[in-house]
Amino acid sequence: SNMSWFSRRFGRRSKQQDRLSREERSVQMAWYAAAAVMGALGATYASVPLYKMFCQATGFGGTTQRVTLQEWASQTQERQDTGISRILQNVVKYVLDQFPSS
């Protein structure tokens, strides 16, 4: 036919043209499944360091935290000044300690 490339690509198509072949659908489904497996593996590998970071920041899971009396006193004053929960403050402090601003 004498349709332009744009019309063929983005114009109205018949239902028969819209249907993908069985092989095309199978290939597409295989890509989706592979992406899901890769995402699950990535989440699995990321969970251990993220959990460790969370536990170190919050003292959760029996992870001990060390602080000097002077640091504890200054943090107590900060908590009273800001009203932010202790856990949130510890998480923020730990993350900021992990990525110093040079």
Side-chain angles (χ1 to χ4, degrees), residues 14-100:
S14 70
K15 286 185 179 183
Q16 190 172 12
Q17 287 173 321
D18 276 339
R19 291 193 191 112
L20 294 174
S21 73
R22 176 175 284 198
E23 182 181 351
E24 289 171 324
R25 283 188 311 230
S26 296
V27 168
Q28 188 178 34
M29 186 56 66
W31 278 110
Y32 287 140
V37 168
M38 294 299 289
L41 283 172
T44 301
Y45 280 103
S47 65
V48 171
L50 290 174
Y51 182 72
K52 182 179 178 186
M53 207 165 76
F54 171 79
C55 290
Q56 288 174 346
T58 62
F60 187 78
T63 306
T64 58
Q65 295 177 314
R66 294 176 181 222
V67 64
T68 65
L69 184 58
Q70 195 170 15
E71 288 174 335
W72 179 83
S74 69
Q75 288 176 355
T76 301
Q77 188 60 45
E78 289 172 14
R79 284 193 296 274
Q80 291 170 351
D81 292 344
T82 61
I84 297 175
S85 74
R86 178 183 64 83
I87 291 176
L88 180 59
Q89 281 191 348
N90 287 340
V91 169
V92 169
K93 181 181 182 309
Y94 181 79
V95 170
L96 292 176
D97 288 346
Q98 295 303 308
F99 305 101

